[in-house]
Amino acid sequence: SQTIHQWPATLVQPVGSPLSLECTVEGTSNPNLYWYRQAAGRGLQLLFYSVGIGQISSEVPQNLSASRPQDRQFILSSKKLLLSDSGFYLCAWRQVSSHTQYFGPGTRLTVL
Amino acid sequence: QQQVKQSPQSLIVQKGGISIINCAYENTAFDYFPWYQQFPGKGPALLIAIRPDVSEKKEGRFTISFNKSAKQFSLHIMDSQPGDSATYFCAASVGLGGGSNYKLTFGKGTLLTVNP
């Protein structure tokens, strides 16, 4: 069966520090991968998605970037965090042949 | 054109009652409509989904009603339980033939509270 992992689960970082969040998927190959941010405990904002290694599409211009160095690994990064980067970051995946997106457990990021 | 509008923002229901959450869309190319359930501190999980070729889909206490002409769909939770208290998101997407640009468009969510 397929499993999606995210780490760390929680993170507290000072303003101006770098960021690296990791997402990995097990039990599938060539998934489509997605990064979402959920601020204020509610709406889901799509940040990036990837259809393959090295292929990244950005939905919202911002302080963040994404990379996909391996087929089942998706990384969200920032060189300098802003207060507004605080939120709940969710990774999701889907099979190319399926509509269904499966979400990971999320990373709670607090920027102080 | 890509928006999915969800209402209400929050909903309080008594145990045993019916919870109803509504969504409306504009893009007639949407052809897949899932509902996700999210508990605090967790990632959303697929609850139930429907394609526009049917008007209703039921799974246990959860039912999706779909009105293609009105471009609306709704989630009904029968016999609501305190354990159903969560945030619910509707979503929509175009067909898989959309290729590499496939993505879900989410509503803003409904916080459901079921009182015991």
Side-chain angles (χ1 to χ4, degrees), chain B residues 34-37 44-49 59 62 64 75 77 88-89:
Chain B
W35 285 89
Y36 282 80
Q37 179 189 56
L46 179 67
L47 188 62
I48 187 173
E59 291 184 1
F62 300 91
I64 298 179
L75 175 69
I77 306 175
Y88 292 81
F89 294 95

Side-chain angles (χ1 to χ4, degrees), chain A:
Chain A
S1 62
Q2 299 88 3
T3 309
I4 180 169
H5 302 279
Q6 286 187 246
W7 62 86
T10 60
L11 190 61
V12 180
Q13 292 285 92
V15 169
S17 64
L19 173 74
S20 182
L21 303 180
E22 189 167 343
C23 170
T24 59
V25 181
E26 296 178 354
T28 187
S29 59
N30 196 31
N32 282 11
L33 297 171
Y34 305 83
W35 276 113
Y36 292 85
R37 177 169 58 202
Q38 189 171 33
R42 290 290 291 276
L44 294 162
Q45 180 186 31
L46 178 63
L47 302 176
F48 301 95
Y49 65 96
S50 172
V51 299
I53 296 174
Q55 300 179 58
I56 308 295
S57 296
S58 175
E59 285 293 295
V60 181
Q62 62 212 313
N63 186 43
L64 302 169
S65 62
S67 62
R68 185 170 176 175
Q70 301 181 43
D71 181 46
R72 288 167 289 179
Q73 184 184 33
F74 205 21
I75 297 172
L76 185 69
S77 303
S78 174
K79 292 182 179 179
K80 290 185 177 181
L81 283 169
L82 306 173
L83 286 174
S84 58
D85 292 323
S86 293
F88 191 47
Y89 288 83
L90 290 156
C91 182
W93 73 275
R94 75 173 184 101
Q95 291 276 22
V96 173
S97 59
S98 170
H99 286 282
T100 304
Q101 282 190 21
Y102 299 94
F103 284 84
T107 295
R108 174 74 59 191
L109 172 67
T110 303
V111 182
L112 300 176

Side-chain angles (χ1 to χ4, degrees), chain B residues 87-107:
Chain B
T87 300
Y88 292 81
F89 294 95
C90 64
S93 70
V94 298
L96 292 174
S100 61
N101 289 325
Y102 178 92
K103 53 195 173 188
L104 285 172
T105 300
F106 283 89

Side-chain angles (χ1 to χ4, degrees), chain B:
Chain B
Q1 188 74 351
Q2 291 293 322
Q3 283 187 328
V4 176
K5 296 182 179 180
Q6 184 172 346
S7 63
Q9 276 190 318
S10 61
L11 180 62
I12 300 175
V13 174
Q14 292 300 117
K15 178 181 176 181
I18 302 174
S19 303
I20 302 175
I21 304 170
N22 301 298
C23 285
Y25 63 97
E26 290 295 325
N27 187 354
T28 55
F30 285 149
D31 75 344
Y32 173 72
F33 303 89
W35 285 89
Y36 282 80
Q37 179 189 56
Q38 184 181 29
F39 293 105
K42 306 294 184 182
L46 179 67
L47 188 62
I48 187 173
I50 197 168
R51 301 295 298 271
D53 52 346
V54 297
S55 60
E56 185 175 282
K57 183 175 181 179
K58 182 177 181 180
E59 291 184 1
R61 296 184 293 110
F62 300 91
T63 300
I64 298 179
S65 297
F66 186 82
N67 186 329
K68 188 174 182 178
S69 60
K71 292 185 285 186
Q72 296 175 347
F73 59 109
S74 60
L75 175 69
H76 296 238
I77 306 175
M78 311 300 288
D79 187 26
S80 299
Q81 299 296 312
D84 297 330
S85 297
T87 300
Y88 292 81
F89 294 95
C90 64
S93 70
V94 298
L96 292 174
S100 61
N101 289 325
Y102 178 92
K103 53 195 173 188
L104 285 172
T105 300
F106 283 89
K108 293 187 181 301
T110 296
L111 179 61
L112 172 65
T113 302
V114 181
N115 288 329

